[in-house]
Structure formats: structure tokens, C-alpha cells
Amino acid sequence: MAEKVVVIILLLVIIVGGIFLFNAVSKNPEKTAGVINNSDKSSVSTTTTQTTCTNKAGFASNCINSIPVLSLNNPVVSDNTITVTASVSMSGINTIYTIGYYWSQAQNQWIRFTLTGSAYPGTNGSTWLTNATSKQLLIPTSAAINNVIYVATWDYVYQNNWVGPSCIGSTGNCWRLVSITVPSQPPPTGNGSLSVPLTVKETAGVGSSGYPVSVIVPLPYGSYQNTGAFRVMNSAGATVPAQFEVLNRWWSKDNSIRHVAVHFQPTVGAFTGPSTGMASYTLKDNGGNIPPTNPVTLADNGNTITLDNGILRMTVNRSPFKITLPTGQLAAIFDGAGPLAGQVQRSFDRTDVTVSIEESGPMRAVIRADAPTLYYSASNQTHGWAIRLYVYAGKSFIKVDYQLQNSAKTKTYSAPLYFKSLTLQLPVNAPTVPAQVHADMVTGDFSGKPQGALKAGPVSAFIRNFWQMWPNGLSVDGNGLLRVEFWPAWSAQFYQGQLTPLGLYWLDDMQQTYKETLLDFGSPSANVMSAMAKTFQYPPVVTLPVSWYADTKATLDLGGIIPVRTRITTSDVRLPTYDPSNYDTKSDSSYRFGWNRFIMLDESRRFRSCVGGGWPDSASSFIATENPVDYFTWQDVAVGELNMRPQWIAHYKHATDWSLIQPSENPYCGETSWRKFDRANNPDKLDSPYLPGSGRNAAARDDEHGWFYYIEEAYWASGNPWIKDWYEFVGEFRKVRLNNLDPFPDESSRAVGHSINHAVQAYRITGDPAIPPMIHSYLQNYIVPGIYPTGARASVNNPDQEAVFQMGYLSRAIADYIEELKTPDSVAMNILAGFVGWNMNNANFGYYMDVTKSTTKGTSDGTSGTMADPQVWYAMKTGQQEPIAHVNAYIDRGIPAGGGSLPYADLKNWKGDFHGRLTVFARNNT
């Protein structure tokens, strides 16, 4: 109760004293923690410093002992918003109230946001946080007063001394107030020369008139700092409404845009055969973008977010959390099982929900909300969840993605999450006739089975991957209650070739799985519903010419080099098909359907990752073929990896959570998840065991088979925000490797290479500035000391042994890291020079051999194709030709000629494979 009184007092003081605060800050510029002073809003400094910090009387102080407490980091301004991280960082014991505020001039009020961090001991995380806290804010530039935005936070305790309400207006040690300067709207970048063909390819065979689509367009380094000049033109030369969102930037270089997501609503005919169902559009940079007829508008009054497109309205309340759709309030009902039997948890009835506005534009707006998994014991746990809500310009439907999470960070070890069902429920506010449609076990194919669509009075509901990710169901009762049954009570989990006799479901610890639904409030006809169901399952895909990827060099690793300029096939394949073996429910290694099986790559490593053979896959076949089938295939595969494997802890932060969780990716083979390694006392890494008749869905990958490259590549094709969520965790998790904190690290070169490259992938997506210097330090401190005078390192248990295939993975990671830097890292380049030199002088693409002897000469081995592309990359960077000639000798003849093996991988042709992009490029250009 005391904290509620404090908040009320605080709010009164804020409202009454707001103008005083602004005046105080304006007169005391030394209190500004982060200032953007570049004339171009998107070209900003990524560091914020405060050279002068003086304690001030009153309640506008941001200093403790002349040290700034609150700061605004990594500001990025684009078009109408500023993205900035508000960080509270202090040593010792420091309790911060979870709620912060920024002032909105447009709304004439303080807008509340929620900080995230660790709960203060003895409290719950919804009231106070301790020490380091942060929150990424997306603030409209219209919130500024004279181009300045103000952000405030509120203390409770500092170093065990209470500084609550009594400090208002006196000591100044409870308020933290900082400001950030927002420049006037800059002129848009772009000179009118951009002309990127966007080919819309219909896939469902029903045509599409205005269905929302997105395409991710790579942009050349240094070309665009903002999206103000972009527009989309149709084949008649007319501008069509579009929205542009920056997906990532050239973070360590000039912060220019690297990939932009383009959202628009094209018209395209039905696909009936090759070269049909296509429409041409063009991305231009000569300005003139136009709004849609019924744009999405978003109003945020601090507690309620309202979205309206003239067709429908949706509101999201922050506290108490509530989602209100046109016919009523959306609910998510979790019916517990096993240790939670009899417990019904309403997902949205939480006081610790975080709500964020991810996108706010005329074509679409996206709201994300989540609440963490809370685990204390098998019978005392609350499921975690996340939801995304999409509203589109002029559309009567809302897309809803719901993710069920079992990823607690409240204890070192957690347990399986058992449940009977999980459904989304919505009153349709009209008389209804009971109806239902089910998708149960797939044992043949999908032909002749019901579509994932149901009419419920004025609402039509659809589920994507209805049969593919069975079980799913849609139902409406006689009282007008619509149920979207993501995990229906009438089915159960597929386990060991059958529906489990337990009659329930479970998520592994560290597993998070999401499903998608579409709710249409426009009362479509039966024919329209059928077409909508098909389009929702397989929407139109927008393709770019492979030459554009080759020219921009922005998307793929190793500098983005692509060896072809025209698509590698003349085929026109729109939809995936499935081999009969995929339907074999008795085969754990081939059955590909069901929510806990669709459609995981590398099934042979599902439960035991250390299966011999193979190499990483690549989603770049979509770039090479320009075929929608490759788009759908690799999106499914990427989501399969994220949905099924226990490799995720939501909200995990290395700085605050490592000491408790101590995640570990090793030792090699047999580990169940990435939680703390303790084989002697807890080999299963569980706080509570599986129930008899149930067991693990999948195991986490170890570093030697950390083949996540295709997931990043899939992201650059779709911009799927769930993939970005995962990489935010990955960037934090990989700091265990980069800080050498794992008690039993896998030191093989491939394990080191895969984990470093995984961190580089996370950096490209999230832009976390801490990652590159950590990689540099890791290379300097843990790789350099292990290198022999020959230039190689030993990476296996056999004394002084190395294989070129191992070295190839580490070489690729180092080269990829260097590519992200504005200035090459000399330490990294020297390591790579040593590796290439040892391969050329001694190993000759050989298998395991002694790295200590400079006189040893190897014989090429088929596995060593992993080193070919990195060696070509090194040659291209240094201008040397000998490394390329060495690679060509291996590809054409083996080394020695006629005596060594040729590479197993095809390094003479590139078809969107993981290997061969640079070798083929070098062979075609020398």
C-alpha cells in the first residue's frame, strides 16, 4: 500500500511540477545525459556521455556523488520516432521503481513505461528493481518540446537508505531526469537513382487484391540514413501506399540502413501455372510516398493504446492488462495438468505484463505484450507468454500471434510445463450456432481435409499451419464464445509415435512455441473465407533479383558476396510439397508434422546432436532461385528450430542473470538444455523430472553443431520478429562464450567458430555494441595464446592435432566478424593469416595432423571444403592470388594432384548452399 501512495504523490508532483522540470533542465545543460546534435536524425552517435554532473537541489537531479544514474543509450531517430534505451546503472544496492515516464507535448501528459531488470530482494519484480535496469523506448518525435524529449525515473532506496517520499523537493536523490535532443526533420536521403524491382508472386492460386505483404530490401553501405525518400511504384508508374521500417543498420560503420522492411498491399492475379500470378512493383527513392485510404492510427495515452483504421478499432490496456477487439475482450486460458492439475491460469490476468509499440505506421501497427515464466516448483509455476497483434490499413482483420513460453529465470533449474489445453477466447457479441473444426494427427496428406477457418457470427477465425502444426481447433458455442484452440483439450501430445496416453501436452524447459491466427470482423462470404484461408496459409511472396543482393553485399556473410547475377533455375515453384516419408508417424527421424515436430531441420540430431556427418544448411537458396517455395521452406525450418528446441530464456540478460542461471552450451553431446552444467548432481538440468509416459521433445544443440546460419538468413527474407526475439536472447547467451565463463568449454575450432559466428549473427540483427569488443577480447585472450609458430592451433583432445575442416569454421567466423567492422581488427587478421598459411604450407586441406611441425605435409581430405571460402575471402582482402590457386588445386585435382581427395561439397557451382559462394565467385572472376 505504501508504494501506491508514493506513486500517487509522485504523479501529482510530476503533473504540477512538469514545467518547472523543463525549465530547470533547460537552464542546466550539464544534466543532459544524451544529446543528438546531428542535422540528420538517423545519423546519431551511439554513445552518450555526461562530462559534468552536479547534484542539484529539488527533484530533477540525475546524480549520486557526481555520478550520472539515468542515461539514454544508442539513440536512433527515423522519420517520426526515436528509438532509445533508457538505462539505470549503479553499483551497490539501488532500488528503482519499475515505472518510468517520458513527457509527451502532443498529449500534454507524462507517458508511463515499465523498466525491466532483476527484482529487489524481498519484493516482486512488478514493484521494485535492483541495480542495472533498462527499457527500449519508441517515442514519437511529436512528444518533444522544442525538439527535446524528457525521461524520468524514480528511486526508492540507495545503498540501504530509504529516500522515498520525504526526498521530494529536498535532497534531489530520488528523481532521475534526463533529456534527449531531437533535431528538426532532415531532408530525406536518396538521389532518385534507386530502382529495385519487386516481383509479387501469388502462391495460393486464388489471386489477391490488397492482402498485406512485406519484403525485406537490402541497401548498399552508406547510402541511406532514413526512409523519407522511399516510395513504391506499380507497373503503371503510379505510387501505391507503403510503409518503411528499418530492420537493421551497418552498425559499426556509419549506421546507415542495411535492410528496410517494405509493407504494402499489392494486387496480383491467381497463380495457375508458370509465369502466372505475378505483378511488378518498384522501390524508388525520389520521394512522394502516399498514405492509404484508411490508414492505421495509433493513440497512446499512457495506459491505453488505441488502434483504428476506419474499419475496426482495438485497444490495449497496460494496467490492468486487457486486449479489447471489436466484439469484446480477448482472453487466453491455460488449463494446467500434471503437477498443475486443476489449475486454470488466465494468461492476461497478470500484473507483470510488458507492453510495447513495435510499429506505428499508416500501413500497419504492431503491439507486443509479454509476461515471464515464473517457476518456483513443479506445482508452483506460472506459464510465460508473448503476443503480437497486427492491425492493417483498411482491413477488417487482425492478426494474432501467441507464444507459449516455459523459460523461467527465477531458478537455476526449471521443469517441464504440463497442461491440458490452451485456447484464445473471444465473445462474438451475436447469436451463434455451435460449430467446430478440428485438425488432428496427419497420417496421409492434407487434401480433402477442412480448412483452418470457422464462421462465428460476425467473426471469422483462421489458423495458419492448421494441419501442419496439429492439433488445432476452432469452435463457437451457443453463447457466442469463439475459441481458437492452439492446444485443444480433445487431443494430446505426439510422443514416441503416438498420442501420449497421458492425454496432455508439455513444453520442455527453455522451449517457446508460437502459433498464428487471423480474426476477421468483416463477415466475409463462404467463398471469400475459403480464399482467405488459403492466402493466410500461403500469402503472396515478393522476390528481388539475385543481382540486387549481389550488388548490395548486405545480406549474406563473408561480405555478402554472391557469385551469380541471374536466378539459377528456370522453374517457377510456388508451394512446398512433402515426401511420403514425412507422414510416417512411426519414424522419429522423418515424421514432420505436429506442433512439436513441424518442420525441424536435422532430425537425426533432434535428441543427440553429436551425430557424425553433414554440415550447415543455408536459406540463401531463396535468393538464388527467386522461388516462393524456397521462401516457405526456409521460414518453416527456421521457425521449427525456434519452436521445438529448448534454447530460449525470455528476458535473459547476461549482466544480471548469469550468476543464477550460468547457462552452458556444453559439454559435447548428450546435454538436454543450455542451463548450468552440473553432470554430477543434476545431469538432466531439471528441478523436477518428467512424468512417466512423457519425455523431452528435443535437445539443445551443442556448439560443435551450432548450425544456426540459416535462421539469420531466413530473417533477412521475412523480418519475422519472433526470430529477432530469439537473437536478442542469443546475443546475451553468447556472452558466456565471449567471456570464457563456461566451466567446460568446447575448444574445438568448429565449436568456437560456430559460437562466435552465432554472436556475430545476433550483432547484425540487434546491433548490441557490446558484442564486437567482446569478440576481439576473446580472440586476443583465448585464441592467440593457443596458436603455434606454424600458424595453427590444436583444437581436439589428441595432443597438438587439428583438422582443416575444424579450422574452416573458425576461419569463417573470424572473417565474418571482421566484415562487420569499419576498420579491420589486426588481431583477427593475423589469426586468419596464420590459419591460411598453415593450410597452404602444411595441411593442404588435410584431416587431423600435428600442428607443431613445420615440415609436415598433408594430403587433402573431402571434409575440408569448409576452409575454401574463408581462404578465398582472405585472398580477396589481401590481394594475394596464391591462396586462391591453392583452393583451385584442391577443387580440381586434390593435393597432391591425383593423390588427395576432392572436396565433398560442390565448390564449382553455387545453388544457394552454405559452401562455395566465394570459390565460385573467384573462379568466375579470375
Side-chain angles (χ1 to χ4, degrees):
M1 182 66 185
E3 65 267 21
K4 293 182 179 178
V5 174
V6 172
V7 174
I8 292 171
I9 295 173
L10 168 63
L11 291 175
L12 290 173
V13 172
I14 289 173
I15 294 169
V16 174
I19 301 303
F20 168 79
L21 291 179
F22 299 142
N23 291 335
V25 172
S26 299
K27 295 175 182 178
N28 295 284
E30 70 273 16
K31 292 176 358 183
T32 299
V35 177
I36 300 176
N37 54 21
N38 192 294
S39 60
D40 186 335
K41 292 202 308 181
S42 294
S43 180
V44 300
S45 170
T46 57
T47 61
T48 55
T49 60
Q50 184 167 330
T51 56
T52 303
C53 187
T54 305
N55 287 334
K56 297 290 183 181
F59 41 83
S61 175
N62 186 43
C63 304
I64 291 291
N65 298 327
S66 298
I67 299 173
V69 179
L70 174 65
S71 60
L72 302 177
N73 306 315
N74 303 324
V76 175
V77 187
S78 58
D79 298 337
N80 301 315
T81 59
I82 177 169
T83 303
V84 63
T85 300
S87 298
V88 181
S89 180
M90 181 176 283
S91 61
I93 299 175
N94 180 47
T95 306
I96 303 295
Y97 190 60
T98 56
I99 303 303
Y101 305 86
Y102 71 83
W103 177 263
S104 173
Q105 170 71 3
Q107 299 183 43
N108 195 36
Q109 62 182 318
W110 289 89
I111 306 301
R112 190 174 73 167
F113 61 86
T114 303
L115 291 159
T116 59
S118 299
Y120 189 75
T123 73
N124 61 53
S126 64
T127 306
W128 306 332
L129 301 173
T130 182
N131 289 329
T133 66
S134 64
K135 174 67 176 178
Q136 188 177 75
L137 304 177
L138 185 68
I139 304 175
T141 53
S142 61
I145 296 179
N146 297 325
N147 289 348
V148 177
I149 289 173
Y150 298 90
V151 178
T153 61
W154 170 258
D155 282 4
Y156 271 75
V157 172
Y158 172 63
Q159 294 184 347
N160 284 329
N161 294 317
W162 177 259
V163 290
S166 62
C167 76
I168 294 179
S170 56
T171 67
N173 289 339
C174 46
W175 264 104
R176 311 293 169 212
L177 180 72
V178 296
S179 65
I180 187 166
T181 301
V182 182
S184 301
Q185 179 70 31
T189 54
N191 57 18
S193 63
L194 185 70
S195 185
V196 185
L198 310 176
T199 303
V200 181
K201 299 181 179 180
E202 202 269 346
T203 63
V206 295
S208 176
S209 179
Y211 189 84
V213 302
S214 300
V215 58
I216 310 304
V217 180
L219 297 170
Y221 163 55
S223 297
Y224 301 94
Q225 290 290 350
N226 60 52
T227 63
F230 294 145
R231 70 180 177 99
V232 173
M233 183 178 72
N234 64 19
S235 58
T239 299
V240 300
Q243 180 176 322
F244 308 95
E245 300 284 346
V246 176
L247 205 63
N248 76 324
R249 293 177 176 270
W250 297 89
W251 306 114
S252 287
K253 298 184 178 180
D254 67 347
N255 212 42
S256 59
I257 302 173
R258 189 167 183 168
H259 290 90
V260 62
V262 182
H263 308 306
F264 64 115
Q265 298 180 3
T267 296
V268 59
F271 172 63
T272 57
S275 299
T276 66
M278 298 169 64
S280 297
Y281 292 81
T282 307
L283 176 64
K284 307 289 288 184
D285 71 341
N286 54 3
N289 186 33
I290 62 174
T293 302
N294 291 293
V296 181
T297 61
L298 184 149
D300 182 359
N301 71 2
N303 191 53
T304 302
I305 302 170
T306 302
L307 295 98
D308 196 322
N309 66 0
I311 308 296
L312 57 77
R313 174 177 291 188
M314 177 184 78
T315 61
V316 178
N317 281 59
R318 289 186 169 94
S319 180
F321 181 72
K322 183 169 62 174
I323 300 170
T324 304
L325 303 183
T327 61
Q329 187 172 334
L330 185 69
I333 311 298
F334 174 93
D335 189 355
L340 298 179
Q343 296 187 32
V344 176
Q345 299 177 8
R346 300 179 67 88
S347 299
F348 302 154
D349 289 357
R350 300 274 295 264
T351 60
D352 54 352
V353 178
T354 299
V355 179
S356 61
I357 301 169
E358 287 193 331
E359 293 182 27
S360 177
M363 298 304 297
R364 76 178 203 178
V366 183
I367 305 296
R368 186 187 190 280
D370 70 3
T373 306
L374 302 176
Y375 178 87
Y376 305 102
S377 69
S379 59
N380 182 14
Q381 56 179 305
T382 303
H383 71 282
W385 56 268
I387 193 170
R388 278 187 166 92
L389 303 140
Y390 296 75
V391 176
Y392 304 94
K395 300 303 174 186
S396 59
F397 52 77
I398 294 172
K399 182 173 179 283
V400 181
D401 296 354
Y402 183 91
Q403 183 184 62
L404 180 61
Q405 302 178 351
N406 183 26
S407 58
K409 64 173 191 174
T410 47
K411 289 189 70 174
T412 303
Y413 299 107
S414 185
L417 175 70
Y418 289 95
F419 57 105
K420 182 66 178 176
S421 65
L422 188 143
T423 62
L424 300 185
Q425 298 185 5
L426 178 71
V428 301
N429 199 26
T432 52
V433 176
Q436 62 184 14
V437 58
H438 291 179
D440 214 332
M441 185 184 297
V442 177
T443 56
D445 58 33
F446 311 129
S447 61
K449 294 183 176 179
Q451 293 179 321
L454 179 71
K455 182 77 168 177
V459 183
S460 300
F462 308 82
I463 294 180
R464 191 155 187 254
N465 290 316
F466 189 60
W467 287 99
Q468 291 89 331
M469 292 181 67
W470 67 270
N472 286 297
L474 294 163
S475 66
V476 61
D477 62 21
N479 297 316
L481 185 63
L482 170 67
R483 292 181 175 87
V484 179
E485 301 167 340
F486 282 152
W487 284 271
W490 44 260
S491 188
Q493 186 142 327
F494 183 76
Y495 180 66
Q496 295 184 338
Q498 63 176 349
L499 294 181
T500 173
L502 294 175
L504 45 77
Y505 308 93
W506 62 92
L507 284 186
D508 292 334
D509 173 38
M510 290 187 67
Q511 184 180 8
Q512 302 189 175
T513 301
Y514 81 92
K515 293 188 176 184
E516 304 171 60
T517 187
L518 198 72
L519 301 175
D520 193 335
F521 300 89
S523 299
S525 66
N527 288 339
V528 171
M529 280 187 64
S530 177
M532 177 66 79
K534 294 176 181 178
T535 301
F536 184 42
Q537 178 60 40
Y538 293 116
V541 173
V542 185
T543 64
L544 306 176
V546 64
S547 60
W548 182 249
Y549 292 99
D551 289 340
T552 55
K553 297 181 176 63
T555 301
L556 302 182
D557 69 353
L558 295 176
I561 293 173
I562 295 176
V564 297
R565 296 194 60 79
T566 58
R567 59 194 300 254
I568 64 171
T569 180
T570 58
S571 68
D572 186 359
V573 185
R574 305 289 172 96
L575 298 180
T577 57
Y578 304 103
D579 186 88
S581 65
N582 296 153
Y583 299 94
D584 182 2
T585 60
K586 301 304 180 184
S587 173
D588 276 343
S589 63
S590 64
Y591 186 61
R592 296 298 179 91
F593 302 106
W595 72 269
N596 63 333
R597 302 197 70 90
F598 182 72
I599 185 170
M600 186 186 289
L601 190 69
D602 208 17
E603 278 283 349
S604 63
R605 293 184 173 86
R606 183 184 185 93
F607 299 103
R608 185 177 175 84
S609 56
C610 57
V611 175
W615 48 61
D617 288 278
S618 172
S620 59
S621 60
F622 174 58
I623 292 175
T625 67
E626 302 175 24
N627 271 335
V629 63
D630 291 298
Y631 174 89
F632 290 123
T633 296
W634 287 106
Q635 293 303 311
D636 289 345
V637 167
V639 170
E641 181 83 18
L642 270 56
N643 273 354
M644 266 66 88
R645 289 193 186 270
Q647 300 174 157
W648 202 334
I649 297 181
H651 295 290
Y652 174 83
K653 295 293 183 183
H654 176 79
T656 54
D657 299 321
W658 180 84
S659 59
L660 176 64
I661 307 300
Q662 296 185 34
S664 166
E665 60 271 66
N666 287 304
Y668 171 72
C669 193
E671 289 305 303
T672 54
S673 78
W674 286 342
R675 285 197 185 263
K676 180 181 179 180
F677 173 69
D678 186 2
R679 179 164 288 177
N681 298 305
N682 196 342
D684 294 327
K685 299 186 177 183
L686 290 175
D687 183 70
S688 180
Y690 287 90
L691 297 178
S694 66
R696 188 165 293 281
N697 290 311
R701 289 185 182 271
D702 66 292
D703 275 356
E704 294 201 24
H705 301 92
W707 298 346
F708 302 113
Y709 306 89
Y710 65 90
I711 301 178
E712 182 199 9
E713 292 166 349
Y715 179 70
W716 302 130
S718 68
N720 183 341
W722 298 104
I723 296 179
K724 182 178 180 181
D725 287 353
W726 183 66
Y727 271 109
E728 289 175 349
F729 162 70
V730 166
E732 297 296 314
F733 165 62
R734 285 304 177 190
K735 292 173 184 177
V736 176
R737 163 72 75 174
L738 300 181
N739 287 282
N740 204 42
L741 293 173
D742 198 301
F744 299 100
D746 189 330
E747 298 289 4
S748 66
S749 289
R750 58 172 165 165
V752 175
H754 293 322
S755 57
I756 289 178
N757 202 292
H758 205 198
V760 174
Q761 295 165 36
Y763 174 66
R764 270 193 292 262
I765 290 175
T766 68
D768 181 353
I771 292 176
M774 284 185 178
I775 294 176
H776 170 84
S777 296
Y778 182 84
L779 295 175
Q780 176 75 67
N781 297 328
Y782 302 108
I783 299 300
V784 170
I787 296 177
Y788 287 82
T790 58
R793 71 185 291 267
S795 69
V796 295
N797 292 329
N798 298 329
D800 306 328
Q801 295 284 304
E802 175 68 303
V804 173
F805 89 88
Q806 294 256 15
M807 178 180 287
Y809 288 121
L810 180 52
S811 297
R812 187 176 188 131
I814 293 173
D816 203 27
Y817 154 69
I818 294 171
E819 279 289 354
E820 295 308 311
L821 307 177
K822 188 171 185 177
T823 303
D825 184 330
S826 60
V827 171
M829 282 296 292
N830 288 337
I831 295 171
L832 195 54
F835 289 173
V836 171
W838 180 73
N839 185 39
M840 293 176 62
N841 297 325
N842 303 105
N844 288 324
F845 292 97
Y847 204 52
Y848 287 107
M849 56 187 297
D850 194 330
V851 298
T852 66
K853 298 177 180 178
S854 60
T855 58
T856 304
K857 296 294 183 181
T859 299
S860 61
D861 184 82
T863 62
S864 300
T866 59
M867 186 65 186
D869 278 346
Q871 185 159 310
V872 170
W873 181 91
Y874 176 79
M876 294 171 63
K877 285 294 179 182
T878 60
Q880 302 176 30
Q881 293 302 310
E882 293 84 356
I884 295 177
H886 188 241
V887 170
N888 285 334
Y890 172 47
I891 295 173
D892 294 331
R893 301 178 298 277
I895 304 174
S901 297
L902 301 179
Y904 296 148
D906 184 358
L907 303 181
K908 295 181 180 180
N909 302 283
W910 182 71
K911 300 177 181 178
D913 308 306
F914 178 76
H915 298 105
R917 275 193 294 114
L918 273 66
T919 61
V920 174
F921 182 87
R923 292 168 73 87
N924 291 344
N925 292 276
T926 55

